[in-house]
Amino acid sequence: MKKKRNYLDMNLKSFKLGLFTGVFALMALNASAQQPKQAEQHSNANVRMGQKALLDGDFKNAESYLTKALPQEGKDPDVLYMLGYSQFQNGDYKKSAETFGKVVALNGKNANALYFKGKATNNLAVQANKISVANKEQLLRVAIEDYSKAIAITPNDAKFYQNRAIANRDLGILIGTAGTPNYNKAMATDAYNNAIKDYEKVLSFDASKKDIQTEIKKAKVYRDNLK
């Protein structure tokens, strides 16, 4: 089990570069879609400073400035999105999930906000030490639900399937370990099968991804070794 946990920690770290790239791609899309609004700098100085810090990769200061902007900008999904991303990069997954939840509440069709909410929730479930196994299971199920909602909105984004696969695999590990309070072989089997299905979906977008081929093999080994 310890080896599996170490593997999960390494896997989480491997996504950071992709996430960093993704947020700026989304910001660029927002800018192109809202040229009249984005043509001028934001009127709130804290938002301006927060965005600059975010673009510089200074996530601690970005979070600080954007948090200060919330009394005035708490209903602005773009400001909340940047704040949630900064919190994610600072490792505060609980706050990040809550902030992205606010973005989703303002715009339920924001697939990227659902994606980041799911990732923050998944990371919290895997890395948190002071929450019960039952709560970890619930967090993983929430993450899976968030990814599913994102897929319903944008069904051709491979990273949504890949991350849902990871959440299902993590769920399989959590509830498929004999001796734990929530051990359930049948549900763990289903979780691994769902992970395999999503990994195979990722391969349908790009069959050359050897890392995904490896993940499928690992998920099958985990499933077949359930006791």
Side-chain angles (χ1 to χ4, degrees):
M1 185 63 184
K2 185 175 180 181
K3 289 183 178 179
K4 291 181 181 178
R5 286 298 176 198
N6 290 339
Y7 166 72
L8 295 180
D9 291 341
M10 291 174 62
N11 198 13
L12 289 170
K13 292 178 182 178
S14 71
F15 279 91
K16 290 218 171 173
L17 180 60
L19 292 174
F20 187 71
T21 304
V23 74
F24 296 120
L26 181 65
M27 288 166 66
L29 287 172
N30 286 343
S32 64
Q34 300 178 5
Q35 284 294 338
K37 181 180 178 181
Q38 300 292 337
E40 299 179 0
Q41 285 192 327
H42 201 286
S43 60
N44 190 310
N46 283 314
V47 174
R48 295 198 302 272
M49 294 298 292
Q51 186 174 29
K52 181 180 184 303
L54 183 65
L55 291 169
D56 289 341
D58 184 357
F59 301 113
K60 288 186 177 180
N61 275 323
E63 180 178 353
S64 178
Y65 284 122
L66 293 166
T67 299
K68 291 176 183 177
L70 285 189
Q72 293 78 35
E73 312 300 336
K75 297 297 183 181
D76 186 329
D78 293 332
V79 173
L80 289 169
Y81 191 102
M82 289 188 291
L83 174 60
Y85 184 77
S86 299
Q87 291 166 333
F88 185 97
Q89 291 296 338
N90 289 329
D92 195 337
Y93 301 123
K94 186 175 187 296
K95 283 186 178 179
S96 180
E98 291 172 352
T99 302
F100 279 116
K102 293 176 182 178
V103 178
V104 173
L106 291 168
N107 178 10
K109 296 297 183 182
N110 191 327
N112 287 286
L114 284 162
Y115 165 72
F116 280 111
K117 180 175 178 288
K119 274 215 68 73
T121 304
N122 196 157
N123 288 5
L124 181 62
V126 171
Q127 296 188 358
N129 295 319
K130 295 183 179 181
I131 61 175
S132 68
V133 173
N135 284 340
K136 289 185 177 184
E137 179 181 345
Q138 179 60 27
L139 287 170
L140 288 170
R141 293 190 184 282
V142 169
I144 291 167
E145 183 179 356
D146 286 335
Y147 293 134
S148 296
K149 289 178 180 177
I151 288 169
I153 297 166
T154 309
N156 295 319
D157 194 323
K159 71 176 179 291
F160 295 167
Y161 295 96
Q162 183 170 345
N163 281 271
R164 189 171 68 176
I166 291 169
N168 269 302
R169 181 206 61 200
D170 291 350
L171 178 61
I173 291 172
L174 184 69
I175 64 178
T177 301
T180 56
N182 61 340
Y183 172 74
N184 189 311
K185 181 178 179 180
M187 291 174 63
T189 300
D190 287 342
Y192 284 127
N193 285 336
N194 288 334
I196 292 165
K197 191 181 301 182
D198 276 341
Y199 281 134
E200 289 173 343
K201 181 67 175 181
V202 176
L203 288 181
S204 74
F205 293 105
D206 183 357
S208 68
K209 292 179 71 67
K210 294 188 180 300
D211 58 328
I212 301 301
Q213 296 171 13
T214 300
E215 293 302 326
I216 291 174
K217 292 178 182 177
K218 288 180 178 179
K220 288 180 178 180
V221 169
Y222 293 164
R223 180 198 63 192
D224 295 343
N225 286 337
L226 287 170
K227 296 179 180 179

